[in-house]
C-alpha cells in the first residue's frame, strides 16, 4: 500500500466531524477528480506546443479517428464531444483560421456542412496525440500492467453505471 495522501486526510476529517456520514466514496471520486485535473493540465501543456487547446485537440482527434477522408458534419462532431452548436462553431472557427480544418457545403445536403481535417491538421493531431500518450504512459508507469488493466476494467464498470442510458 502506498503512503496516505490528501484524500485520506479529507475522508478522515469527515469521519471525525460527522461520524454517521460514511464518506468512503470520496476516497474514489476525490482521487478520480484530482487525477483528471492533473492529467488534464499536463495534456493542456502538451497540446499548447501545437497551438491547440484541449478542446481543439478533441475536435481534430474526432476527425482523425473518423478515418479517411477525415470528414464529419458539425452536428456529429458536437454530439460526439457533448458540445452545443455554439461551442462547436467557436472551436471550428479557430481551427479553420489556423488552417487545421476546412468547412465546405455537404454535397448530399444543401443546408449542411462538412468539416474536413487538412493535411496540417492531421500532422498536428497525430503529433500531439503521440506526445499526450507519452504523458499518460509516464503517469501509468507506476502501476504494473495487470493493475493498469484491472483499473481500466473497474473504471469502465463504474462509468457504465454512472452514464445515463438512452
Amino acid at each position: 500500500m502506498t503512503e496516505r495522501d490528501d484524500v485520506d486526510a479529507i475522508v478522515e476529517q469527515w469521519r471525525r466531524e460527522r461520524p454517521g456520514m460514511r464518506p468512503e466514496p470520496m476516497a474514489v471520486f476525490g482521487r478520480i477528480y484530482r487525477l483528471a485535473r492533473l492529467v488534464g493540465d499536463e495534456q493542456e501543456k502538451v497540446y499548447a506546443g501545437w497551438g491547440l487547446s484541449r478542446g481543439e485537440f478533441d475536435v481534430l482527434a474526432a476527425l482523425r479517428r473518423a478515418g479517411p477522408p477525415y470528414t464529419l458534419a458539425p452536428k456529429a462532431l458536437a454530439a460526439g464531444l457533448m458540445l452545443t452548436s455554439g461551442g462547436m462553431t467557436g472551436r471550428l472557427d479557430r481551427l479553420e483560421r489556423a488552417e487545421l480544418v476546412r468547412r465546405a457545403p455537404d454535397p448530399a445536403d444543401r443546408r449542411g456542412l462538412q468539416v474536413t481535417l487538412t493535411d496540417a491538421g492531421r500532422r498536428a493531431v497525430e503529433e500531439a496525440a503521440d506526445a499526450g500518450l507519452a504523458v499518460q504512459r509516464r503517469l501509468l508507469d507506476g502501476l504494473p500492467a495487470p493493475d493498469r488493466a484491472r483499473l481500466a476494467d473497474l473504471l469502465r464498470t463504474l462509468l457504465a453505471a454512472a452514464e445515463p442510458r438512452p
Side-chain angles (χ1 to χ4, degrees):
M1 186 170 135
T2 59
E3 65 183 64
R4 297 176 53 75
D5 63 11
D6 290 342
V7 176
D8 289 317
I10 290 167
V11 171
E12 289 294 322
Q13 289 166 345
W14 277 116
R15 279 192 184 121
R16 182 188 69 234
E17 295 301 317
R18 302 239 351 251
M21 179 186 235
R22 298 179 44 214
E24 294 79 14
M26 289 179 190
V28 173
F29 292 104
R31 289 183 179 98
I32 290 172
Y33 172 77
R34 286 171 182 236
L35 276 168
R37 191 185 72 225
L38 290 168
V39 173
D41 290 349
E42 288 287 319
Q43 298 294 101
E44 194 78 43
K45 290 176 193 170
V46 167
Y47 301 150
W50 284 267
L52 299 171
S53 69
R54 195 174 354 173
E56 292 161 352
F57 171 85
D58 289 344
V59 172
L60 297 179
L63 289 165
R64 177 61 182 92
R65 291 191 316 267
Y70 312 115
T71 299
L72 292 169
K75 281 186 180 183
L77 277 167
L81 298 174
M82 297 184 290
L83 288 172
T84 65
S85 61
M88 179 55 63
T89 298
R91 288 182 189 181
L92 292 175
D93 287 345
R94 289 186 298 276
L95 291 168
E96 192 170 39
R97 278 193 303 273
E99 299 182 353
L100 300 174
V101 302
R102 73 175 167 278
R103 286 182 272 200
D106 184 341
D109 179 2
R110 294 183 322 161
R111 297 169 295 160
L113 287 176
Q114 290 183 326
V115 179
T116 302
L117 194 60
T118 64
D119 288 341
R122 186 173 57 79
R123 283 190 303 276
V125 73
E126 288 176 0
E127 292 171 7
D130 289 342
L133 280 170
V135 168
Q136 293 173 3
R137 280 189 193 95
R138 178 181 49 80
L139 294 171
L140 282 174
D141 278 347
L143 288 177
D147 289 348
R148 291 191 298 261
R150 180 75 178 130
L151 178 59
D153 288 343
L154 290 169
L155 290 171
R156 181 184 306 107
T157 301
L158 184 60
L159 184 59
E163 283 186 325
R165 302 198 194 282

